[in-house]
Each structure stands twice: as C-alpha cells, then as structure tokens.
Amino acid sequence: MAQDKKSKGDPLLKPEALEGLRIAVSVSNSPDLARLGLHEIHFRLALGEIARSVLVAGGKLAYGGHLQPDGYTAFLVGELQRYSRRDRPLRICLPASEHGKLTDAQLHDAAAELGLFGEIVCLSADGEPIAFIANRTFDPDDTPRALSGLRRYMTAESQGRILIGGKRSGFQGTMPGVVEEALFALKAGQPLYVAGGFGGAAIDIVGAINREAAAWFVQQDGAERDGRLDDALGIIRSLTEGRSWTALDNGLSHDENARLAATPRPSEIAALVSLGMGRRFAA
C-alpha cells in the first residue's frame, strides 16, 4: 500500500478514478460547532466539496437519512444538479424508521423529483431492500435495529466511508450513527476517512484510534454525553490497537490522517480525502 507516501507531488483524484465505486458519506450535526467558531454553513460546504470530489472522479455517493427538505439529502441533490451527473449517482437509503412515516405516494413523488440524479432504496428493519408498495408499517421500538440494518446495508453496498460530525447524546440507535458506521467499516476492512475538525463523535473516534491526533480538541466540561458512546469507542480502540491509522486502510500517511482529524477547512478536507482515495483505489 501507499500508506506512507508523502503528499507532495501526489495527484488528487483523476477523471474516472472512482468509476464503478460508491462512497458512503456519514454526516450528522456536531454539538461542538459553536464553541469551535464554526457554523452549519461550514459543515455543508465541507459536504459539498467532498461530494464534488467524488462526482467529478466518476464515483457515486450513498447517504442514509430522511427526505426532509431542510436536510442533507436535499443539499446533496442540489450539488448533483450543479454538476449535471444524470446517471443516478446518489443512492438515498431510508431505514424503516423513516420511510415507515411516509405514504407510498410521498415516496413515489420523491423518487420522481430525484429523477436521473439518484435513487431511493427503502430498507426493512433488518436492512434488506423492499418495494415502496410493500407493507411498511413500523414499530418505533425497532428503531435501533432498523438503523443498524441501514448501516450494515450501506457498508455492503459501498467501497469507502467518510465521517463528519456526530451526536454524543440524543441518538436513536444503539450508539451514535457515525460511530456505528465506523465500526462496520473497520470490521469490513473498508477505507475509512475521519474528518474531525468539526468535533462531535468524529473527533472522539479519532481519539480512540490515535489519541495524539485528538489532543487539539478539549472536551467541554458538563456536556451531555451518553455512556453508550464510550462503550462503542472502546470497541473501536480494541479493533485499532497497535495499528493506529493503518487500520483505516485509506491511502493517507500518518501526518495526512492527523491533518484530516483536525482541519475544519472544507477545501482541505476534500483534498485530503481525494488524495487518499486516489492512492487507495489506484492500488
């Protein structure tokens, strides 16, 4: 692998470098934005830069979430419209806990609006694709199982994972979504890119993998934190122990991963992710 290469002189993603590959993007609001001097617009700019990098290199995107008009799904669709990719490059994966709230007509309308920019996949509580018109009634008590099913499906259907932000409490699954997605990626041996500059559970993941790289971030005293987060981070720590960044198999060097773990600059995040994917998938 090219894990120890220096970034100087290395090309970013070349045209068609990601052709035939789907990259899953995990984005969730960070509780640390305000105290880091950042705003939601910075978060969306980073997501937009990452999406652009994947799209112009011929890759496709996967995103798991909901269809609300103010969410990240709608934002990604807007990015697709800017770059005129009409080969359905975006796969929107809806867990049973989300599509169970919608009527068949609402789902069909959303798919029609998406058109050639993407597709919607509805999943059962176990993470299996189902038809829009299937029986989609859902028991809210099954939400944690449905979210785990979503993340399992997305890992199986993608070739890389990018993480940004993430809640430390108030999540609906068995653990924060970005943490569970990191665990699935690590267990699958999938390239993993952790952008920690916006704080949240992503920087906690960084600390579990390489404590030194998270030293810049100071946890807020008295901030709400669910104990299940620490349990999950302990699993990540055990999976990566003794390997540090090499466990991520993402084409970035030690120093480059450390930069990705700290920078809040959207252009730098996208450049580092592109650099790593260019190396990793060229190999």
Side-chain angles (χ1 to χ4, degrees):
M1 287 301 300
Q3 193 78 17
D4 295 321
K5 282 185 180 179
K6 301 294 184 183
S7 60
K8 186 176 180 180
D10 272 324
L12 298 184
L13 282 172
K14 297 179 180 179
E16 311 308 320
L18 298 181
E19 187 172 4
L21 301 175
R22 190 178 299 277
I23 306 300
V25 182
S26 304
V27 184
S28 177
N29 287 330
S30 166
D32 302 313
L33 285 181
R35 71 188 191 92
L36 291 174
L38 300 169
H39 301 279
E40 174 70 11
I41 186 62
H42 298 113
F43 212 65
R44 291 183 179 241
L45 284 171
L47 177 58
E49 289 279 353
I50 290 168
R52 180 194 63 81
S53 297
V54 173
L55 292 171
V56 298
K60 295 187 176 184
L61 294 165
Y63 179 72
H66 54 70
L67 298 178
Q68 294 174 15
D70 59 345
Y72 295 121
T73 300
F75 177 80
L76 283 171
V77 173
E79 291 300 297
L80 290 173
Q81 293 170 341
R82 289 179 60 193
Y83 297 108
S84 299
R85 282 279 303 272
R86 296 180 181 274
D87 56 341
R88 291 193 168 87
L90 175 62
R91 178 174 294 174
I92 299 169
C93 305
L94 298 180
S97 52
E98 288 298 328
H99 66 68
K101 303 172 185 176
L102 305 174
T103 66
D104 293 335
Q106 287 173 317
L107 279 170
H108 282 289
D109 287 347
E113 185 176 347
L114 195 56
L116 296 177
F117 293 115
E119 61 179 339
I120 296 173
V121 177
C122 292
L123 301 171
S124 71
D126 293 314
E128 297 294 332
I130 60 174
F132 284 6
I133 59 173
N135 180 5
R136 292 184 296 99
T137 57
F138 181 74
D139 183 350
D141 290 340
D142 278 343
T143 295
R145 181 163 67 100
L147 292 175
S148 293
L150 162 74
R151 292 156 191 158
R152 189 180 303 110
Y153 169 83
M154 290 183 66
T155 301
E157 294 294 316
S158 61
Q159 287 72 49
R161 171 77 69 170
I162 303 166
L163 306 177
I164 311 177
K167 297 178 180 179
R168 293 193 181 91
S169 63
F171 44 86
Q172 296 181 299
T174 57
M175 62 185 76
V178 298
V179 179
E180 188 168 32
E181 286 150 356
L183 280 171
F184 277 127
L186 288 168
K187 290 178 179 178
Q190 188 178 85
L192 180 62
Y193 302 87
V194 188
F198 294 100
I203 192 60
D204 298 333
I205 294 169
V206 168
I209 296 169
N210 185 300
R211 184 178 298 179
E212 181 182 322
W216 66 270
F217 180 82
V218 179
Q219 295 283 356
Q220 186 176 17
D221 290 338
E224 190 175 1
R225 187 181 181 95
D226 192 308
R228 292 174 295 172
L229 167 60
D230 294 314
D231 293 340
L233 292 172
I235 300 172
I236 289 179
R237 197 171 292 112
S238 66
L239 286 173
T240 60
E241 188 173 8
R243 295 190 292 159
S244 186
W245 299 122
T246 59
L248 305 188
D249 192 22
N250 64 9
L252 294 176
S253 70
H254 177 100
D255 289 344
E256 290 158 354
N257 269 304
R259 283 167 54 198
L260 182 60
T263 181
R265 294 174 56 199
S267 59
E268 187 174 15
I269 292 170
L272 286 166
V273 171
S274 295
L275 181 64
M277 288 193 293
R279 292 174 182 162
R280 174 62 174 78
F281 292 114

